[in-house]
Amino acid sequence: MSRLVAAIVAAISLPAHAFHSMTPVPRIALKDFDAESSYQDRPLIIETGLDVEPLCDNLMERVAGQIITLQQTKRIYKKPKTTNTKNEYKPKSKKKQHRAAKQDKSKETVEKETKLYNLSMGQAIDLVMSQSNHDNSLFSFCEGLLDDLDTSEGVVDYSGKFALGKQNVDWFDLFPPHIQPSDCVILAGEGASSTLHRDPFEWTGTSLCLEGTKVWRFLEPHDSSAPDEAGVDSVDKLLKSYRLPSTAWEEGETFLSAGWQSDFNLYERRHESIPSARELGESGEEGHHQQLEEIAQNLSLLKPNFDSSKCSCWTVVQKPGDLLLIPAHWWHQTYALEPSLAVSSQRCVSKLDAARVIEHILSATDTMDEAPDALLQRDYSDLQAEKEIQEVIDALFDHLDSTLSVWDGEGGGER
């Protein structure tokens, strides 16, 4: 444990074991990674060893002038109402006053005010690097930003190719172009967090960190308090989840996919003893990552606003060059102790992904009952040739053409 974190523990009287309440996401070097055996449907960091600085610089040169939407989230802390202030006891010593103030703060409710601004990527980066903090954070999820940039191919390829393996075909590449998922550039300032969610299509997601660091927390799809109801449904229920149609793949009034989202937050409270991004940067390279990991692993320093003890939590701090594999069904949320830039993508390969993605589409469109047997397989691992995969994909969209009135109904051909 670093001196810094040990001091925080002493300051807030936490036991040392509080730092090890979550399972660390495993890491593997790229040279040791095998797509068939290394990835077991669990979060995994691939240490690529890539020199991401030129990739990042090249990308920024190409997109600096593009207009994006920057989200500002302000936290407003509201004190609980008191009924009797006349006879309220006020501690006399400064120590007791400070302790009482901390207790009052812990009882405060948090409301959030969100505003959206349209500005250039270059302007957004300047603001994110200098103005963002936990109580006034800046975040941007730039979907489709890379779609028309031929010069960004290196980044797009890097965000997925190590996760696929040389022999695997990405089924999404064979989908009709207008419903293929897009890669996203994600810009996060200090204190910014994503929503707590699990992904649409039930794909395997990827995230390549180009600059800065990101804290990731995952909730394993199993409720430890109810072993007889193990599975993602119990976590969905605990988180009071709701579905969000994925508008990027909308076809008329039909949605091919819907993700899951929760209004709970794995990083609702940030302890005041946590150093700022600038202070972390000034601490020197030695021990810097250890400090980040220890803070990330402590649920009392970055505190959820729900009882996370009912979940099995995993965590990791993603560094530049780290490629993170994000399995289907795992709830996840990120937090920025430092500003970061990353590219997120997704894959659908024959093993693990294809059956889940097809089942998800059939369920989302309510066309499962009429589906042909070719679309109801539990495992497509034997399909490796692109021609065989294309036949299944054509069968899927021909099926949707024939059963959904909002589709053109012609079947096959160009869509």
Side-chain angles (χ1 to χ4, degrees), residues 131-200:
Q131 301 296 322
S132 186
N133 58 65
H134 183 77
D135 291 331
N136 187 16
S137 61
L138 299 172
F139 182 86
S140 185
F141 186 84
C142 310
E143 191 170 19
L145 188 67
L146 305 179
D147 287 355
D148 299 324
L149 298 179
D150 292 338
T151 50
S152 71
E153 288 179 359
V155 174
V156 175
D157 288 346
Y158 282 137
S159 65
K161 97 178 186 185
F162 301 121
L164 289 173
K166 295 180 180 179
Q167 305 304 318
N168 284 317
V169 176
D170 188 349
W171 288 44
F172 286 135
D173 290 341
L174 305 179
F175 274 37
H178 64 291
I179 56 172
Q180 290 178 4
S182 295
D183 298 309
C184 299
V185 177
I186 300 177
L187 181 63
E190 179 187 357
S193 63
S194 67
T195 59
L196 179 58
H197 68 282
R198 60 183 182 97
D199 291 334

Side-chain angles (χ1 to χ4, degrees), residues 374-385:
L375 303 180
L376 301 176
Q377 306 301 309
R378 304 307 303 170
D379 187 2
Y380 291 91
S381 298
D382 292 339
L383 296 186
Q384 296 298 328

Side-chain angles (χ1 to χ4, degrees), residues 116-296:
L116 301 177
Y117 302 93
N118 293 325
L119 67 172
S120 72
M121 172 64 89
Q123 292 172 319
I125 288 177
D126 289 342
L127 290 171
V128 161
M129 295 299 293
S130 61
Q131 301 296 322
S132 186
N133 58 65
H134 183 77
D135 291 331
N136 187 16
S137 61
L138 299 172
F139 182 86
S140 185
F141 186 84
C142 310
E143 191 170 19
L145 188 67
L146 305 179
D147 287 355
D148 299 324
L149 298 179
D150 292 338
T151 50
S152 71
E153 288 179 359
V155 174
V156 175
D157 288 346
Y158 282 137
S159 65
K161 97 178 186 185
F162 301 121
L164 289 173
K166 295 180 180 179
Q167 305 304 318
N168 284 317
V169 176
D170 188 349
W171 288 44
F172 286 135
D173 290 341
L174 305 179
F175 274 37
H178 64 291
I179 56 172
Q180 290 178 4
S182 295
D183 298 309
C184 299
V185 177
I186 300 177
L187 181 63
E190 179 187 357
S193 63
S194 67
T195 59
L196 179 58
H197 68 282
R198 60 183 182 97
D199 291 334
F201 274 131
E202 297 176 73
W203 59 38
T204 296
T206 65
S207 171
L208 176 67
C209 185
L210 296 178
E211 186 171 326
T213 59
K214 299 176 76 169
V215 175
W216 288 78
R217 284 177 177 173
F218 296 88
L219 302 180
E220 189 173 354
H222 170 79
D223 184 349
S224 60
S225 69
D228 294 333
E229 301 173 15
V232 69
D233 289 346
S234 60
V235 183
D236 290 350
K237 184 177 179 181
L238 174 70
L239 297 178
K240 299 180 181 179
S241 68
Y242 52 92
R243 302 295 294 275
L244 286 181
S246 301
T247 54
W249 302 286
E250 183 179 3
E251 184 70 22
E253 296 180 356
T254 299
F255 294 90
L256 298 185
S257 176
W260 291 260
Q261 189 160 308
S262 171
D263 292 330
F264 287 120
N265 193 334
L266 287 167
Y267 313 97
E268 183 69 13
R269 299 277 183 171
R270 171 177 169 145
H271 192 269
E272 59 188 12
S273 299
I274 293 178
S276 67
R278 176 175 294 181
E279 290 169 334
L280 286 168
E282 292 173 350
S283 63
E285 186 173 349
E286 184 178 353
H288 176 228
H289 188 66
Q290 182 187 356
Q291 290 179 16
L292 295 175
E293 288 281 5
E294 290 174 339
I295 294 170

Side-chain angles (χ1 to χ4, degrees), residues 232-370:
V232 69
D233 289 346
S234 60
V235 183
D236 290 350
K237 184 177 179 181
L238 174 70
L239 297 178
K240 299 180 181 179
S241 68
Y242 52 92
R243 302 295 294 275
L244 286 181
S246 301
T247 54
W249 302 286
E250 183 179 3
E251 184 70 22
E253 296 180 356
T254 299
F255 294 90
L256 298 185
S257 176
W260 291 260
Q261 189 160 308
S262 171
D263 292 330
F264 287 120
N265 193 334
L266 287 167
Y267 313 97
E268 183 69 13
R269 299 277 183 171
R270 171 177 169 145
H271 192 269
E272 59 188 12
S273 299
I274 293 178
S276 67
R278 176 175 294 181
E279 290 169 334
L280 286 168
E282 292 173 350
S283 63
E285 186 173 349
E286 184 178 353
H288 176 228
H289 188 66
Q290 182 187 356
Q291 290 179 16
L292 295 175
E293 288 281 5
E294 290 174 339
I295 294 170
Q297 289 174 11
N298 191 313
L299 289 167
S300 294
L301 293 181
L302 291 173
K303 189 174 183 179
N305 60 356
F306 66 100
D307 185 5
S308 59
S309 66
K310 294 182 178 180
C311 301
S312 178
C313 301
W314 295 45
T315 189
V316 72
V317 175
Q318 186 183 23
K319 302 178 292 184
D322 283 349
L323 179 67
L324 176 65
L325 301 188
I326 306 161
H329 303 152
W330 287 63
W331 284 84
H332 51 279
Q333 187 176 16
T334 63
Y335 183 82
L337 287 167
E338 303 172 301
S340 67
L341 180 71
V343 175
S344 69
S345 188
Q346 56 284 313
R347 71 165 206 183
C348 176
V349 296
S350 297
K351 183 180 179 182
L352 292 179
D353 302 312
R356 289 191 298 223
V357 168
I358 291 174
E359 182 179 352
H360 184 103
I361 293 174
L362 295 176
S363 177
T365 56
D366 197 22
T367 59
M368 184 80 73
D369 292 342
E370 303 91 347

